[in-house]
């Protein structure tokens, strides 16, 4: 139950290096959250309460690795409460978003993307189209396209949001949209160098905007530019970029360099049914912004340890903003290896792809939705990715 308690805490867990021993945290169990939901349904509680308790139970199922069970919980809750969107736009939007996240985790990115559209429609049922929350959810649609490998659809979505946000003066949303486009192009450029020019052009446009709301995005693209240099020059480029970083008040040791995880050389073999193997990986960020003491806290029974090797290699080369006053910050991330459902060209029967993709959730991140103290993995994201 320690994981659930950490997930429900108010922010990252910070411990001095000398205190790296047993971390004891108390929290509510899976059975408790299930009982809360059952009692709510038995008493015919208001839709807002039912949605909150359904999300709490599904989040506990997520932590236990029961992705299929969590999706079932969300589908039932959505079927009962989707009609209340005009009264509870944010709550119903969260419901659709969580349903989509579980669809993604069980290997159905198409359903995930459709749920992101439903989440937008729920918000629009009670909020104007120019509301920042609607635009943030539109960005999640772009993320869904990106996950599914639809580069141009994702870029089109990001561009549309950026233009609308600019027209109504939502500068932070505009910056977030532009930054997402730059990140996506840089990721593609790491495999297809021809996209590096477009990635640099996007980065330069963000750097040229001196609006205070663009500060985190200016810092973000500074590191993107370092990522685009040759591997042999990257360490020196990262060190130089760190010197150029603008101070970000209130943000301690933000993630500034996150290399891609290479699964090309991993042999996954036959996919065992509908399972999504997962592992919770623990690590510390030191005062100089480097990662140390990487360890696996727990993992599913079907998890192959060899699959974690490229994840660990990527974690080892991450860089966070240095903080000379830091005594060490602990992070814990859920790593899921997803085999997507696909249709064979010769049959309508859907099968699992032999290759897998990685989904990562920061279990210690402060919830982005302040209305509910719950995992940001299952709620509409309102903060830019690191």
């Amino acid at each position: 139950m320690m994981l659930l308690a950490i997930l429900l805490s108010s922010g990252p867990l910070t411990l001095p290096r000398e205190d790296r021993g047993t971390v004891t945290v108390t929290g509510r169990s899976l059975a408790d959250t299930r009982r809360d939901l059952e009692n709510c349904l038995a008493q015919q509680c208001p839709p807002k309460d039912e949605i909150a308790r359904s999300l709490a139970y599904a989040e506990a199922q997520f932590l236990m690795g029961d992705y299929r069970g969590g999706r079932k919980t969300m589908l039932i809750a959505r079927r009962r409460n989707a009609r209340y969107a005009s009264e509870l736009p944010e709550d119903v939007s969260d419901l659709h978003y969580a349903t989509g996240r579980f669809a993604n985790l069980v290997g159905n990115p198409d359903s995930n993307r459709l749920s992101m559209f439903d989440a937008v429609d729920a918000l629009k049922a009670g909020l104007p189209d120019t509301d920042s929350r609607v635009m943030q959810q539109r960005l999640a649609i772009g993320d869904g396209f990106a996950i599914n490998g639809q580069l141009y659809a994702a870029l089109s979505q990001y561009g549309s949001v950026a233009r609308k946000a600019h027209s109504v003066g939502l500068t932070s949303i505009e910056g977030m949209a532009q930054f997402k486009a730059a990140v996506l192009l840089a990721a593609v450029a790491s495999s297809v160098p021809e996209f590096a020019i477009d990635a640099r052009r996007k980065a330069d446009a963000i750097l040229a905007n001196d609006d205070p709301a663009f500060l985190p995005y200016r810092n973000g693209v500074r590191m993107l530019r370092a990522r685009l240099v040759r591997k042999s020059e990257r360490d020196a480029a990262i060190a130089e970029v760190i010197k150029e970083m603008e101070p970000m008040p209130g943000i301690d040791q933000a993630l500034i360099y996150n290399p891609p995880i290479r699964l090309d050389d991993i042999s996954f073999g036959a996919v065992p049914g509908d399972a999504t193997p997962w592992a919770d990986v623990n690590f510390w960020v030191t005062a100089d912004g480097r990662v140390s003491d990487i360890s696996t806290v727990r993992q599913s029974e079907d998890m192959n340890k060899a699959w974690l090797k490229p994840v660990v290699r990527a974690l080892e080369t991450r860089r966070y903003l240095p903080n000379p006053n830091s005594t060490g910050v602990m992070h814990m991330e859920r790593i899921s290896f997803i085999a997507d459902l696909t249709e064979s060209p010769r049959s309508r029967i859907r099968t699992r792809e032999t290759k897998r993709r990685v989904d990562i959730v920061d279990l210690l991140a402060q919830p982005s939705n302040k209305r509910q103290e719950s995992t940001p993995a299952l709620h509409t994201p309102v903060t830019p990715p690191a």
Side-chain angles (χ1 to χ4, degrees):
M1 298 322 302
M2 183 184 75
L3 287 177
L4 179 59
I6 290 174
L7 186 61
L8 297 178
S9 67
S10 61
L13 177 64
T14 305
L15 295 177
R17 296 183 66 88
E18 61 270 17
D19 291 340
R20 293 186 187 183
T22 302
V23 180
T24 304
V25 189
T26 59
R28 302 178 66 249
S29 68
L30 178 68
D32 287 339
T33 56
R34 181 176 63 246
R35 191 179 305 111
D36 283 349
L37 176 58
E38 290 172 348
N39 291 338
C40 179
L41 294 172
Q43 297 168 12
Q44 297 184 342
C45 61
K48 186 178 184 68
D49 292 342
E50 182 188 336
I51 292 173
R53 295 187 188 192
S54 296
L55 283 166
Y57 179 42
E59 288 164 353
Q61 290 175 294
F62 166 81
L63 283 180
M64 300 305 294
D66 184 10
Y67 298 159
R68 293 180 66 81
R71 189 186 185 202
K72 182 179 179 180
T73 298
M74 286 291 90
L75 286 171
I76 293 172
R78 185 171 70 168
R79 186 167 60 246
R80 290 172 56 90
N81 297 287
R83 64 182 182 273
Y84 298 111
S86 60
E87 304 168 35
L88 304 167
E90 291 184 86
D91 300 87
V92 175
S93 178
D94 281 346
L95 198 57
H96 288 302
Y97 183 84
T99 304
R101 284 292 292 127
F102 276 111
N104 179 61
L105 288 166
V106 300
N108 199 333
D110 290 337
S111 291
N112 175 36
R113 190 171 64 254
L114 290 173
S115 290
M116 298 303 108
F117 279 104
D118 289 338
V120 169
D121 289 340
L123 288 171
K124 289 172 63 178
L127 300 170
D129 192 46
T130 54
D131 190 281
S132 63
R133 288 161 290 185
V134 175
M135 293 193 196
Q136 288 160 3
Q137 188 57 55
R138 287 191 184 280
L139 291 177
I141 293 176
D143 296 343
F145 283 129
I147 289 172
N148 209 28
Q150 297 175 271
L151 170 65
Y152 294 107
L155 292 174
S156 176
Q157 190 71 20
Y158 297 151
S160 174
V161 172
R163 289 188 295 273
K164 176 163 282 190
H166 179 78
S167 69
V168 296
L170 292 174
T171 311
S172 181
I173 302 297
E174 178 188 359
M176 187 190 303
Q178 291 186 16
F179 181 67
K180 281 177 175 285
V183 169
L184 179 57
L185 285 167
V188 174
S190 65
S191 299
V192 186
E194 290 80 1
F195 282 91
I197 294 175
D198 288 336
R200 289 192 180 94
R201 186 180 297 119
K202 289 285 186 183
D204 289 343
I206 293 173
L207 280 173
N209 193 320
D210 60 1
D211 191 292
F214 265 65
L215 189 155
Y217 310 114
R218 288 196 296 270
N219 278 344
V221 297
R222 285 186 173 101
M223 190 54 67
L224 273 183
R225 292 171 63 165
R227 178 175 170 176
L228 293 171
V229 305
R230 288 194 296 266
K231 188 175 181 180
S232 59
E233 302 172 358
R234 194 164 296 155
D235 285 345
I238 290 173
E240 189 62 30
V241 166
I242 288 175
K243 297 177 183 177
E244 299 174 1
M245 287 285 184
E246 299 174 62
M248 294 192 291
I251 300 179
D252 181 35
Q253 292 196 277
L255 176 60
I256 56 177
Y257 175 64
N258 191 17
I261 298 172
R262 304 291 187 185
L263 300 180
D264 298 343
D265 299 329
I266 299 295
S267 175
F268 292 102
V271 176
D274 294 327
T276 299
W278 56 269
D280 291 330
V281 177
N282 193 42
F283 59 93
W284 286 78
V285 175
T286 59
D288 64 356
R290 298 182 183 273
V291 172
S292 69
D293 301 339
I294 301 173
S295 63
T296 301
V297 178
R298 63 174 189 164
Q299 62 186 44
S300 60
E301 293 182 359
D302 53 356
M303 182 72 219
N304 187 330
K305 292 183 179 180
W307 299 354
L308 287 173
K309 290 182 179 179
V311 175
V312 172
R313 284 198 294 269
L315 283 176
E316 288 173 339
T317 54
R318 274 189 188 179
R319 293 296 297 274
Y320 292 76
L321 274 178
N323 180 358
N325 299 318
S326 174
T327 55
V329 179
M330 188 180 81
H331 289 254
M332 186 183 299
E333 295 184 347
R334 166 66 58 87
I335 316 294
S336 301
F337 292 84
I338 302 170
D340 286 331
L341 286 165
T342 184
E343 288 186 6
S344 169
R346 300 180 181 179
S347 170
R348 293 184 178 180
I349 298 176
R350 304 186 78 188
T351 58
R352 296 281 175 179
E353 294 185 356
T354 55
K355 285 290 185 181
R356 293 180 183 263
R357 57 184 172 84
V358 176
D359 182 274
I360 300 179
V361 173
D362 187 348
L363 296 181
L364 301 189
Q366 183 172 345
S368 60
N369 189 326
K370 298 300 189 296
R371 294 178 296 105
Q372 300 172 8
E373 291 188 351
S374 48
T375 171
L378 303 182
H379 285 271
T380 305
V382 297
T383 54

